[in-house]
Amino acid sequence: MTQRINYMQQSPELFKKFLEFSNQLKSGAIEETIRHLVAIRASQINGCAFCLDMHVKEAYIHGERPLRIHHLGVWRESTLFAPRERAALAWTEALTQLPAHGVSDDVYEKVRTQLSEKELSDLTFEVMSINAWNRVNVAFRTVPGSADKAWGLDKANLA
């Protein structure tokens, strides 16, 4: 795969501001483990190889178990995810594959049994962020692993 353009170089101020926004989410109400699961699952759905590669490596570095990452595509059938994680994954899928009729009351009610209003709001911003990153990296075919050394992802030892 060949990268089309380097959006980070072409729009440095927009990139910087969006990166600041994304980094601000780390101090939100959603714990790191769920943030990793959400980023990986949305990236799987959106077919973003760059983001999937990056977030799998980040998750490994932060101690995520490999089998849970392998089970993300089948999280509904897997026994490896807690109810709170399941709620976050359901919300991620609903917002990533936004149905024509919007998010159903059923999905919303199930998620609200596991997350507070603040947590649900912060989770929504998490999902918005990863979907935007997916779109820019898919559009410009950012090469998976191309930022590993700069972002310390080579420490995952997954190459």
Side-chain angles (χ1 to χ4, degrees):
M1 177 166 66
T2 303
Q3 186 166 334
R4 289 177 170 161
I5 66 170
N6 185 328
Y7 64 88
M8 297 172 219
Q9 290 176 350
Q10 296 304 313
S11 304
E13 287 303 314
L14 293 173
F15 170 73
K16 181 182 172 191
K17 292 292 183 187
F18 193 58
L19 187 59
E20 288 172 12
F21 167 78
S22 295
N23 285 331
Q24 183 66 35
L25 294 169
K26 293 176 183 177
S27 63
I30 301 302
E31 56 269 32
E32 181 179 69
T33 301
I34 289 180
R35 287 196 321 269
H36 289 307
L37 296 176
V38 163
I40 293 167
R41 185 65 188 127
S43 298
Q44 288 174 332
I45 292 167
N46 289 323
C48 184
F50 178 82
C51 292
L52 182 60
D53 180 83
M54 175 196 311
H55 293 292
V56 165
K57 289 172 181 171
E58 283 180 342
Y60 271 63
I61 288 168
H62 292 117
E64 184 57 75
R65 295 186 345 237
L67 189 57
R68 283 173 35 101
I69 293 172
H70 291 296
H71 277 222
L72 268 173
V74 293
W75 65 267
R76 284 179 181 82
E77 293 80 23
S78 176
T79 59
L80 301 179
F81 301 98
R84 182 175 170 80
E85 294 169 329
R86 291 176 178 283
L89 291 167
W91 194 249
T92 299
E93 288 186 359
L95 296 182
T96 300
Q97 300 170 313
L98 200 57
H101 58 78
V103 177
S104 73
D105 289 340
D106 183 52
V107 170
Y108 175 77
E109 292 303 326
K110 285 179 183 175
V111 172
R112 282 290 292 128
T113 67
Q114 297 297 319
L115 291 100
S116 70
E117 288 183 0
K118 166 70 170 148
E119 291 168 334
L120 183 54
S121 180
D122 284 6
L123 177 61
T124 302
F125 280 99
E126 289 281 352
V127 175
M128 289 166 43
S129 177
I130 189 57
N131 275 286
W133 285 116
N134 288 167
R135 279 149 180 75
V136 73
N137 285 298
V138 167
F140 298 125
R141 294 184 180 158
T142 309
V143 177
S146 61
D148 281 7
K149 191 163 180 85
W151 293 346
L153 299 174
D154 51 341
K155 294 177 183 126
N157 295 318
L158 293 175

